[in-house]
Amino acid sequence: MGYFNKAKRLALQGLVMLSISASTFAMANAKEQGSTANILTPNDVFEMEYVGAMAVHPKQGYAVYERRALDIMSDGTRINLWQVNRDGSNHRPVLSGKANYRLPVFSPDGSRLAYVSSSEGNNQLYMRWLDTAQTARVTNLAHSPSSVSFSPDGKWLAFVMFTPGKPSSLAIDMPKQPKDAKWAGKATYIDNLAYRSDGAGFLPAGYSQIYVVPSEGGSARQITKGEFHHDGQLTWAADSQHIIFSSDRHPDWQRRPLESDIYQVNVNTGDIRALLERPGPEFAPVVSPNGQKIAFLQVDDRKLASQNAQVYVMNRDGSKVTGLVTKLDRPISNVQWDNAGNGVFFSYDDHGKKMLAYVDLKGKITRLKAELGGQSLGRPYTSGSYVVGNSGDVFYTQANSQRPAELGLLAANGEITRLTYLNQDVLATKELAKVRSLTVKSSVDKRPIEAWLALPPNFDPEQKYPLIMEIHGGPHAAYGPQFSLEVQLMAAKGYVVVWANPRGSTSYGEEFANLIHHNYPSEDYNDLMDVVDGVIEEGYVDEEQLFVTGGSGGGTLTAWIIGKTDRFKAAVVAKPVINWLSFSLTADGYAYFTQYWMPGMPWEQVDHLWKHSPLSLVGNVSTPTMLLTGEQDYRTPMSETEQYYQALQLRNIDSAMVRIPKASHGIAARPSNLVQKVAYILAWFEKYKPQQAE
């Protein structure tokens, strides 16, 4: 411990300690904007609410949804259940309080509502009788349940739960510990390929298994066994005797990161039978209302870094597999049957937006007007969910660049209604940054590159503003014109903020996404510089005040950018990959990354991986650079950040390292960490703004 503290002190020598409180932030805004009364501040982050998971009453047609609120006291998300009619009336709480209430599921006859709650400590399944508002605890579980599903006859609840197993061990010779002796403790013995995961840490021995419990309460019974994970979406057969699920039950499943097949398990005997076994992943099965067919998603696995799923349907016994959506070259998710069983709804990402569509059993696709979004509060990623109601209604989270997710209704006749106004009390009086689109032509190959701009409150096109480029992670992901607290807070400080979908981004087709396959970073750098140039051409950006930041893949690109150009006054590199050689053997998903992101094992591809590592360009860097990473990040481990920080320090580049406490790769999972992240970024950029006369 003493050595560590000494080393820590040495490593932090020269580190500029940056701290910016909410009040300091507000005061700075007051100076630059004139007044903070109508400008978004960090305090407002803790007032945000948004719509989470939802369910629709099978007969009456109203929706119950998770009302999620960022909680300043718990530094987390408070989740209550609310209901609302299809016309927006009768909006009221169903279950609310200090405990979390989540994952609502109606019984098939609509008389009861199952949900998960932490009201008595750890998460358990509960049942609520809707006619009397009586509730009962259904389970007594050691671990949290997920993927909750009612049997068609209403008698059973199925769910997935982690089930501990016997840890691996190795017999060793050790002397007997004397009484009262204080030894260091037992070593941890690990022999699994999958031994740790971002957000979960080092994984305990055990597997996710499927359970059933009587819906009126009783003992939960495990119905799957074996050293395989049986997680994901559960769907019941019409006979209420079988559950259909996807899993990889191959003995070598740990080395097959994408593989999965579709199985059924008999809830009485535990017998498991494969319904569909194909190369690549088949997943997310959903049984049709009449029980005769199963819709599912499938990926044609070609070992590409970005691969889109397509929609298939098969008979209940696994026969007659038919492709319904096989030519829509977009990421597809969330397949749900219509009430008549004549086709399925699905969501797909297109040009930075999550859209909704319907396909009938003949393969005719109808694109619907609903635009989903609003569930990614931190950064403007595509997001959103929906649920199909009776009479053809669809409840969904509405996308809006000025608001987090609200609940909307797409009626069968195509009319759209907004049902909730969760943030009206906080945001109605705020002058938020207006968001507009920008498209430029890539200097590499003239492809259109889409981007979006957030213009500061009280924007004046005759003035000159500092610019922040914010780069998305993934790298196979997509930004869009979505609400983003981080972007809004940056714009509130007086910055024009631009974000883009360079080559490698999803929602434009596999070919566009895989332009960086085994070639990342590369010309995506050029696309981003073309976007910056496109904003500058509009005439309201000060070219002497350009700043750049990004997280994960965006952090990697930020480090790559400052190794290529010195046009930016300062940079913040968040949770990056700096060295592909070290990343490939320290990241949690190394079995996947080495197979899909790299042309071979790292020791066989040293030159290739080093060529694409930002660390290879560190000798060119002159830009003042801050690194910012969660201390519990196992996706892009802290060692990546430390390598770059130490390299910059050795080169005497003005640099700093910020370690976010209790944060994994998703830094902004805690509201206070979201605020800290943005505050550090802005403080670093403010430090390197050109000095202006008072």
Side-chain angles (χ1 to χ4, degrees), residues 102-103 105 116 125 144-150 157-161 210-211 230-236 243:
R102 57 190 182 89
L103 299 179
V105 183
V116 175
L125 270 169
S144 183
S146 62
S147 304
V148 181
S149 179
F150 256 107
L157 284 170
F159 61 93
V160 172
M161 185 177 70
I210 300 173
Y211 287 75
H230 304 84
D231 48 15
Q233 188 168 298
L234 305 181
T235 183
W236 285 82
I243 297 171

Side-chain angles (χ1 to χ4, degrees), residues 382-673:
T382 56
S383 65
S385 60
Y386 74 95
V387 64
V388 179
N390 50 25
S391 304
D393 292 339
V394 177
F395 292 83
Y396 69 102
T397 57
Q398 286 187 326
N400 185 329
S401 66
Q402 303 293 291
R403 295 291 186 274
E406 300 282 1
L407 189 62
L409 177 81
L410 173 66
N413 63 5
E415 292 184 0
I416 288 178
T417 305
R418 180 174 170 182
L419 303 180
T420 62
Y421 295 82
L422 302 185
N423 294 286
Q424 199 72 355
D425 56 335
V426 182
L427 298 180
T429 60
K430 299 291 183 180
E431 181 71 25
L432 296 178
K434 300 297 189 294
V435 174
R436 54 166 288 248
S437 62
L438 171 72
T439 301
V440 303
K441 285 187 177 181
S442 172
S443 58
V444 176
D445 51 17
K446 306 304 179 184
R447 293 174 187 266
I449 304 299
E450 290 189 330
W452 293 267
L453 293 164
L455 303 175
N458 307 312
F459 174 74
D460 180 356
E462 300 302 317
Q463 293 186 15
K464 293 286 188 179
Y465 293 87
L467 174 73
I468 296 176
M469 164 161 275
E470 214 290 336
I471 307 171
H472 75 63
H476 302 297
Y479 273 170
Q482 320 294 339
F483 180 81
S484 163
L485 279 170
E486 295 185 27
V487 166
Q488 288 289 343
L489 288 170
M490 291 173 181
K493 195 67 166 61
Y495 291 84
V496 171
V497 186
V498 63
W499 59 100
N501 284 333
R503 65 192 62 219
S505 303
T506 56
S507 78
Y508 301 91
E510 282 191 359
E511 189 264 345
F512 184 82
N514 285 304
L515 289 172
I516 63 168
H517 179 62
H518 297 168
N519 187 33
Y520 166 70
S522 57
E523 288 84 10
D524 38 1
Y525 160 79
N526 304 80
D527 294 344
L528 292 170
M529 294 305 98
D530 294 334
V531 168
V532 172
D533 292 338
V535 182
I536 291 173
E537 287 177 8
E538 301 209 340
Y540 47 78
V541 167
D542 182 352
E543 292 189 59
E544 297 301 313
Q545 297 191 64
L546 304 181
F547 303 91
V548 62
T549 186
S552 193
T556 303
L557 272 168
T558 301
W560 186 262
I561 286 168
I562 60 177
K564 289 280 190 177
T565 180
D566 61 359
R567 71 187 301 189
F568 294 95
K569 298 296 290 186
V572 176
V573 176
K575 52 186 180 182
V577 175
I578 291 301
N579 181 347
W580 288 109
L581 288 160
S582 56
F583 165 81
S584 65
L585 299 176
T586 55
D588 62 343
Y590 64 108
Y592 172 80
F593 296 130
T594 52
Q595 291 186 55
Y596 289 85
W597 285 16
M598 300 174 185
M601 289 295 109
W603 50 88
E604 299 168 346
Q605 300 293 331
V606 173
D607 291 342
H608 174 89
L609 296 179
W610 182 248
K611 175 183 175 183
H612 291 280
S613 294
L615 190 59
S616 70
L617 302 177
V618 74
N620 302 334
V621 175
S622 60
T623 306
T625 302
M626 171 185 283
L627 292 119
L628 186 152
T629 302
E631 289 189 327
Q632 298 173 5
D633 192 331
Y634 290 129
R635 183 61 41 81
T636 53
M638 182 60 77
S639 57
E640 293 295 300
T641 290
E642 290 171 334
Q643 285 182 71
Y644 202 59
Y645 174 70
Q646 293 184 23
L648 292 171
Q649 285 287 311
L650 289 172
R651 292 203 55 245
N652 201 29
I653 303 299
D654 196 0
S655 52
M657 176 170 57
V658 177
R659 305 167 70 97
I660 302 295
K662 298 182 180 179
S664 57
H665 196 62
I667 290 175
R670 292 175 179 266
S672 68
N673 281 341

Side-chain angles (χ1 to χ4, degrees), residues 151-174:
S151 63
D153 62 11
K155 295 181 179 179
W156 298 93
L157 284 170
F159 61 93
V160 172
M161 185 177 70
F162 173 76
T163 304
K166 185 178 180 181
S168 297
S169 63
L170 186 66
I172 61 173
D173 291 328
M174 283 286 292

Side-chain angles (χ1 to χ4, degrees), residues 320-338:
K320 198 178 179 180
V321 178
T322 304
L324 294 184
V325 184
T326 59
K327 298 186 184 304
L328 180 61
D329 188 18
R330 294 292 186 268
I332 292 175
S333 59
N334 199 357
V335 172
Q336 299 182 35
W337 285 93
D338 66 11

